[in-house]
Amino acid sequence: QQSKLDASRLRIISTKEPTQPIPNDQLVFGKTFTDHMLTIEWTKEEGWKDPVIRPYGPLTLDPASCVFHYAFELFEGLKAYRTIDDKITMFRPDMNMKRMNKSAHRICLPTFDSDELIKLTGELIKQDKHLIPSGKGYSLYIRPTLIGTTSTLGVGKPDKALLFVINSPVGPYYKTGFKAVSLEATDYATRAWPGGVGDKKLGANYAPCVLPQLQASERGYQQNLWLFGPEKYITEVGTMNVFFVFKNSKTGKKELVTAPLDGTILEGVTRDSILTLAKENLSPINWEINERYFSINEVIDRSKNDELVEAFGSGTAAVVSPIKEIGYRDYKIKVPLLPGEQSGELTKLVAKWISDIQYGNVQHGNWSKI
Ligand code: COI
């Protein structure tokens, strides 16, 4: 009989060396971690074992563990915020747990009860509560991870796994903060493809994307814009989803557009939140909110017709990342910014909508979990 993941079986081993918070101005994204981590082992025979919160530290793994050879690894990224009234909340953790289970199922790792992992993550956060930074732009980045640990070079379904959660106090993802970035459109490499796993948060999706990013940066761009197929559809930017704003010059009608979830696009929680908020706030004032295919050629054409209004990336880490320029072949497409500012009008507004909810200025349904 396999046991289910059960938060009530949690054991806590507290650190003997608690640390002090790092000052906000010294936080570098994902470089330092809180005092504790959560680990839960799984075996095919027993199912999920007792969850343990223990001092943060190295894992001991057999070098034959299948994670090292065949990339049995998936992860999530979500954040906990210290709100303006000093409560600690997680932003839409149910969405991350749902996606984590989908990723697990896709690479034959064990699935689990999402609510139990949310509870356990809550306990982990509580344990290191004093290390969660405060202030706008600051938060605790939570990294749930699941790996296959079967010791074998045979390729097959793992019969052992380890789920762990580590937490990193963070400030702005980019050292430059909320600053518009320049992108190089990449059409010589492909991030994801139909029938592939681009919609899953697998570590194996990320490593191959670094070289094209470096190549873009050698040519003077900060990030790359992933194109797909002969149509040169715009899919994602760097490790984020991407949004464009167009304006129909005849009707004056504005459109917010992002690529549809066709299996090649990561099902971003920030992406979903932006679409929801845009439908609530912009549809009533006659905007179109669309998940549809759009290509770099459309962006070029609309830029020529003064119909390109703004563009931004969206993700948990950077939340909203404004775009100022896109290089593609001989084109240098300028994306308008507000005069003297680092983003367009809607980009700024979207960033405020989200941050108001995350820091507790505004309530939105059950998006913030205490
Ligand atoms: C995000 O939250 O935007 C990411 O996916 C970034 C993460 C890989 C650091």
Side-chain angles (χ1 to χ4, degrees):
Q1 169 89 32
Q2 282 191 357
S3 309
K4 292 205 160 83
L5 180 59
D6 181 354
S8 72
R9 281 161 48 199
L10 174 66
R11 286 191 294 131
I12 300 181
I13 306 164
S14 295
T15 179
K16 293 192 180 65
E17 295 157 15
T19 61
Q20 291 303 309
I22 296 169
N24 279 3
D25 61 355
Q26 286 168 34
L27 291 174
V28 180
F29 183 89
K31 280 285 180 205
T32 50
F33 298 90
T34 62
D35 293 346
H36 296 87
M37 62 183 185
L38 170 72
T39 61
I40 318 160
E41 289 175 20
W42 175 90
T43 65
K44 190 181 163 195
E45 291 74 39
E46 293 173 76
W48 290 103
K49 300 193 194 186
D50 289 353
V52 186
I53 288 176
R54 61 175 82 231
Y56 182 94
L59 302 170
T60 302
L61 292 171
D62 191 305
S65 301
C66 60
V67 56
F68 298 134
H69 303 275
Y70 307 124
F72 284 95
E73 193 269 358
L74 61 97
F75 66 95
E76 272 303 324
L78 64 156
K79 280 177 172 174
Y81 293 85
R82 194 179 284 280
T83 64
I84 46 162
D85 50 358
D86 208 26
K87 290 198 175 69
I88 305 297
T89 62
M90 280 186 270
F91 185 70
R92 306 191 74 187
D94 48 316
M95 295 283 285
N96 294 87
M97 297 310 168
K98 202 163 126 190
R99 189 173 66 187
M100 192 171 176
N101 269 307
K102 285 196 206 173
S103 300
H105 177 257
R106 182 62 184 83
I107 59 169
C108 299
L109 286 174
T111 56
F112 52 86
D113 182 330
S114 292
D115 287 336
E116 297 303 300
L117 191 57
I118 294 174
K119 276 185 230 163
L120 289 162
T121 305
E123 290 301 320
L124 178 64
I125 293 171
K126 228 189 259 170
Q127 193 71 22
D128 291 330
K129 200 173 161 181
H130 63 293
L131 300 175
I132 304 176
S134 59
K136 217 178 140 200
Y138 294 85
S139 60
L140 185 73
Y141 185 77
I142 303 168
R143 171 51 62 88
T145 311
L146 179 57
I147 59 175
T149 52
T150 301
S151 302
T152 176
L153 299 185
V155 181
K157 182 178 160 85
D159 63 1
K160 277 174 67 190
L162 177 69
L163 194 164
F164 59 90
V165 183
I166 54 175
N167 291 337
S168 174
V170 298
Y173 184 67
Y174 293 113
K175 283 191 285 288
T176 45
F178 192 71
K179 211 161 172 220
V181 294
S182 60
L183 309 178
E184 181 183 57
T186 304
D187 64 356
Y188 61 90
T190 306
R191 193 198 79 88
W193 43 89
V197 289
D199 58 340
K200 306 294 186 295
K201 215 151 172 76
L202 309 183
N205 282 336
Y206 288 76
C209 291
V210 173
L211 186 61
Q213 275 173 34
L214 286 180
Q215 289 163 340
S217 84
E218 276 162 19
R219 291 185 280 263
Y221 298 94
Q222 279 139 297
Q223 271 297 341
N224 71 325
L225 181 67
W226 293 103
L227 305 184
F228 178 76
E231 298 88 352
K232 314 284 175 199
Y233 288 134
I234 289 178
T235 60
E236 296 195 13
V237 50
T239 60
M240 307 170 98
N241 295 121
V242 69
F243 286 84
F244 278 72
V245 178
F246 300 124
K247 181 180 174 170
N248 184 315
S249 52
K250 291 192 192 79
T251 62
K253 197 170 170 121
K254 282 189 184 167
E255 179 192 20
L256 177 66
V257 46
T258 192
L261 299 180
D262 64 357
T264 69
I265 303 295
L266 191 85
E267 298 176 6
V269 178
T270 311
R271 175 189 180 281
D272 181 84
S273 305
I274 291 170
L275 286 170
T276 303
L277 294 167
K279 282 172 197 162
E280 288 169 9
N281 296 318
L282 302 177
S283 299
I285 54 168
N286 211 27
W287 279 59
E288 271 192 57
I289 313 300
N290 288 328
E291 294 168 70
R292 67 164 174 89
Y293 292 107
F294 64 107
S295 68
I296 189 76
N297 300 315
E298 175 174 348
V299 171
I300 291 167
D301 288 346
R302 303 200 76 162
S303 165
K304 281 182 188 157
N305 293 335
D306 271 338
E307 293 191 321
L308 172 60
V309 182
E310 48 193 292
F312 59 90
S314 80
T316 293
V319 190
V320 169
S321 175
I323 296 164
K324 64 177 176 193
E325 186 190 42
I326 302 165
Y328 173 62
R329 298 188 176 172
D330 293 334
Y331 297 99
K332 279 229 194 283
I333 309 163
K334 287 267 172 249
V335 185
L337 301 176
L338 287 168
E341 296 201 38
Q342 283 299 320
S343 87
E345 195 179 0
L346 184 75
T347 309
K348 201 170 153 181
L349 195 59
V350 165
K352 181 172 160 45
W353 289 340
I354 305 244
S355 119
D356 278 348
I357 298 168
Q358 289 172 334
Y359 290 96
N361 305 76
V362 171
Q363 298 303 315
H364 193 285
N366 59 357
W367 283 8
S368 292
K369 285 250 178 6
I370 300 200

